[in-house]
Amino acid sequence: PAGGRGPYKVMLLGESGVGKTALAAIFGGLKGSVHHEEESTEDSYERRFCVDDEEVILILYDIWDQADPGGWMQESCLQTGDAFLMVFSVTDRRSFTRVPPIILRLRAGCPRSDPPIILVGNKSDLARSREVSREESRSLAVMMNCKHIETSAALHHNTEELFEGVVRQIRLRHHRR
Ligand code: GDP
């Protein structure tokens, strides 16, 4: 349809310092995007783009860090997303160990909608300080029934693939209904 499908809301999740803001800035800097900076508690980027010859509108939210741990802000973040980018840093094992509880909470909160979740191992450029192997995070993704990708926001490596991947996952869910 004219104007593109969506808008679909995509939420960045993950510990502070893993690179969510860096990924959001790349998304926002891509051609055709509009940046909305509302109150201090909300930062979002809207972008219309073409994936597989079909237009789509995504709004990427980078609001997880401002949310109170376990509180209603996080809860509403988990409930409003159409898809989730679950980010950790491959150089920070602690950020990786925080992933499963968030995914379990997400799934428990919306048992019927089963939104797409992509496990994103960011900072893949920092090979020498790596603490989580690709194999290990891939097996967590399999176990948790998520997609998996490693990115480097610093080098813009796999970032376009990440955003296209989330669009494809959203389409799969919507076509299934
Ligand atoms: P956030 O707290 O999750 O939003 O993390 P930020 O986006 O603020 O990133 C935290 C720090 O990690 C910043 O200094 C970034 O420049 C750096 N950073 C983010 N992504 C990468 C990456 O892919 N590679 C490297 N080397 N540094 C990164």
Side-chain angles (χ1 to χ4, degrees), residues 15-22 62 65 122-123 125-126 151-154:
E15 286 293 287
S16 183
V18 297
K20 299 183 298 301
T21 303
D62 179 24
D65 279 343
N122 188 44
K123 308 200 188 183
D125 58 294
L126 298 176
T151 57
S152 165

Side-chain angles (χ1 to χ4, degrees), residues 25-170:
I26 291 173
F27 179 82
L30 296 174
K31 231 168 71 183
S33 69
V34 190
H35 183 206
H36 301 280
E37 210 163 336
E38 285 148 33
E39 295 146 36
S40 60
T41 52
E42 181 154 287
D43 203 358
S44 65
Y45 298 81
E46 182 172 327
R47 187 181 167 217
R48 176 195 303 271
F49 61 145
C50 213
V51 179
D52 305 327
D53 298 324
E54 199 187 338
E55 261 212 341
V56 67
I57 301 167
L58 287 194
I59 308 177
L60 185 66
Y61 289 85
D62 179 24
I63 58 176
W64 186 252
D65 279 343
Q66 290 96 324
D68 47 330
W72 72 270
M73 257 285 288
Q74 281 198 349
E75 223 37 67
S76 81
C77 183
L78 295 179
Q79 286 183 13
T80 35
D82 296 304
F84 298 87
L85 305 183
M86 180 67 247
V87 187
F88 70 96
S89 166
V90 301
T91 65
D92 176 7
R93 172 157 292 275
R94 202 184 60 107
S95 71
F96 181 66
T97 63
R98 296 288 172 88
V99 164
I102 295 176
I103 294 181
L104 293 177
R105 244 177 90 195
L106 176 52
R107 291 255 166 78
C110 36
R112 271 174 306 198
S113 61
D114 186 27
I117 303 170
I118 301 183
L119 181 62
V120 183
N122 188 44
K123 308 200 188 183
S124 64
D125 58 294
L126 298 176
R128 278 183 301 178
S129 35
R130 187 186 271 271
E131 292 180 359
V132 182
S133 74
R134 179 191 292 266
E135 293 69 34
E136 194 178 357
S137 64
R138 189 172 287 281
S139 33
L140 179 66
V142 169
M143 209 163 70
M144 293 270 160
N145 196 23
C146 306
K147 287 285 165 189
H148 174 265
I149 192 167
E150 283 199 347
T151 57
S152 165
L155 302 180
H156 289 217
H157 178 249
N158 264 354
T159 49
E160 194 67 43
E161 287 80 355
L162 170 63
F163 301 124
E164 289 176 5
V166 75
V167 170
R168 294 196 180 103
Q169 288 301 307
I170 290 170

